[in-house]
Amino acid sequence: MNIKTVIKKHNTPLIFIACCIFAVLASSPIYASESEHRDEDTRNAEFVHISDNMAQKMGVVTQKVSAGQLNITTTVYGNVVTDPASLSHVRARFDGMVTKVNANLGYKVKKGETLAVVESNESLKSYPVTAPFSGIVIARHANEGELSNGQVLFSIANYKEVWAQLKIFPQQLSEIADQQSVQLSLSEAKLNTTIQHILPSPDEKPYVLAYAKITNTSGRWPVGADIKGQVVISTQNVAMMLPKAAIQEFEGASVVFVKKGEEYHPVPVELGQQDNTNIEVLLGLSIEDEIVSQNSYLIKADLEKSEAGHEH
């Protein structure tokens, strides 16, 4: 029986028959495949157009996908301490009376500068008490008319070099050793340095102490401040690596924005190992793809705003 016969026998409306035929065809594999392709084309059509000039003004930075090395770290904590070589407690060479004081608390002094004058009890001759190196007077115990009597008259410190004193607990001992790299952080300040030596802690504490030198000419590492350290315990070579800042969550997936001309396309990626800065990419990208490495959240926000506008 053909369609023509059915129509004639039952006098069925032509519109109803046409709708039935279309419904059957639409459910066939051919139409389903075409529907999937349309969905894929829609996803591929999701992008943000930004001129290169505007992208530069927005602070959008791109880079090529490449192989790299991840630095696997363990976290330690500690504080900034004075470099023992940069702290001096100054005494008079001979006992006598302090007849003059030139330096006060907080004074910046230079090496060889006269801090005080003392009259010797034995020779009754006056001699200068000088600064052993350049630094800051952090303590003063000398006043005119007093006897020196072997006591500390001044304490001088130079904070241009200080130490990170880091606590290493037993479960970390097998991973940490001398000459390993460590990144220190204090508020906004960050510094890459090296563990110089590891010593037992005083008073039989349940940890050892690792020391790393800090160049402190900026003054951003004050003595006594609490600090965090990331000690590099191993390295891992990976075929593709990106900055973690390049990854955004979009429509339930981790995506990277790939730049094609002045278009930025969200590309889903499968991720692997990571360190503090970078992350491995297993699938989704190719070497030499140009991706947004900084301020990618601006692209995401622009894309979401565009989609919200289309929904209305």
Side-chain angles (χ1 to χ4, degrees):
M1 182 185 298
N2 55 32
I3 294 175
K4 190 173 183 179
T5 305
V6 172
I7 295 171
K8 186 174 181 180
K9 183 176 181 180
H10 296 287
N11 196 26
T12 307
L14 288 174
I15 294 177
F16 175 77
I17 296 298
C19 290
C20 291
I21 294 171
F22 179 78
V24 171
L25 292 175
S27 63
S28 70
I30 295 175
Y31 274 78
S33 176
E34 289 180 357
S35 176
E36 290 174 1
H37 283 306
R38 282 198 300 272
D39 290 342
E40 184 177 348
D41 290 341
T42 300
R43 287 195 298 271
N44 290 336
E46 291 180 325
F47 65 87
V48 175
H49 182 276
I50 304 176
S51 69
D52 290 340
N53 184 47
M54 179 58 69
Q56 184 177 10
K57 290 179 180 179
M58 293 169 61
V60 172
V61 179
T62 64
Q63 69 178 57
K64 296 291 183 68
V65 176
S66 64
Q69 186 179 77
L70 297 174
N71 294 317
I72 311 303
T73 63
T74 187
T75 303
V76 294
Y77 296 91
N79 60 294
V80 179
V81 297
T82 304
D83 180 356
S86 300
L87 175 65
S88 180
H89 302 295
V90 182
R91 293 177 169 84
R93 286 179 298 163
F94 309 105
D95 286 344
M97 180 179 291
V98 178
T99 59
K100 189 175 183 180
V101 176
N102 294 334
N104 207 342
L105 191 66
Y107 275 32
K108 293 181 178 181
V109 295
K110 295 182 179 180
K111 181 179 179 179
E113 185 175 339
T114 298
L115 305 175
V117 176
V118 175
E119 184 183 90
S120 171
N121 288 338
E122 294 183 4
S123 65
L124 299 180
K125 291 183 178 180
S126 296
Y127 65 91
V129 176
T130 60
F133 52 74
S134 298
I136 299 174
V137 177
I138 60 172
R140 167 189 162 177
H141 305 287
N143 288 302
E144 293 180 8
E146 295 180 345
L147 296 176
S148 61
N149 292 341
Q151 70 175 349
V152 174
L153 301 181
F154 302 93
S155 293
I156 298 176
N158 187 328
Y159 296 122
K160 290 184 178 180
E161 285 194 349
V162 292
W163 288 91
Q165 179 180 262
L166 305 168
K167 297 177 182 178
I168 312 299
F169 288 91
Q171 63 269 27
Q172 298 172 305
L173 281 175
S174 62
E175 301 175 328
I176 299 177
D178 293 354
Q179 303 310 309
Q180 280 180 289
S181 298
V182 56
Q183 184 184 74
L184 304 175
S185 58
L186 169 60
S187 187
E188 298 298 320
K190 293 187 182 298
L191 174 72
N192 293 314
T193 183
T194 304
I195 293 176
Q196 298 296 317
H197 48 262
I198 298 176
L199 300 174
S201 64
D203 304 324
E204 298 182 351
K205 298 290 184 182
Y207 51 78
V208 298
L209 296 173
Y211 290 87
K213 187 170 288 188
I214 299 174
T215 299
N216 189 38
T217 51
S218 65
R220 300 179 70 182
W221 302 86
V223 170
D226 295 328
I227 56 175
K228 176 182 177 181
Q230 297 286 344
V231 183
V232 178
I233 57 175
S234 67
T235 57
Q236 181 70 45
N237 293 321
V238 294
M240 287 189 291
M241 186 178 78
L242 297 176
K244 291 166 72 173
I247 308 298
Q248 295 293 333
E249 291 297 318
F250 180 69
E251 295 185 343
S254 295
V255 302
V256 172
F257 287 95
V258 176
K259 185 177 188 293
K260 298 178 180 179
E262 293 188 337
E263 296 177 357
Y264 296 84
H265 295 255
V267 176
V269 290
E270 183 178 335
L271 304 173
Q273 300 181 84
Q274 60 181 292
D275 59 18
N276 292 328
T277 306
N278 300 304
I279 190 165
E280 178 186 17
V281 177
L282 300 174
L283 294 171
L285 297 175
S286 301
I287 294 293
E288 292 298 305
D289 279 348
E290 187 175 3
I291 59 93
V292 179
S293 58
Q294 294 182 35
N295 293 326
S296 58
Y297 70 93
L298 296 174
I299 310 294
K300 173 187 172 182
D302 206 347
L303 186 58
E304 290 175 335
K305 185 172 75 171
S306 176
E307 288 193 335
H310 287 311
E311 289 176 1
H312 292 293

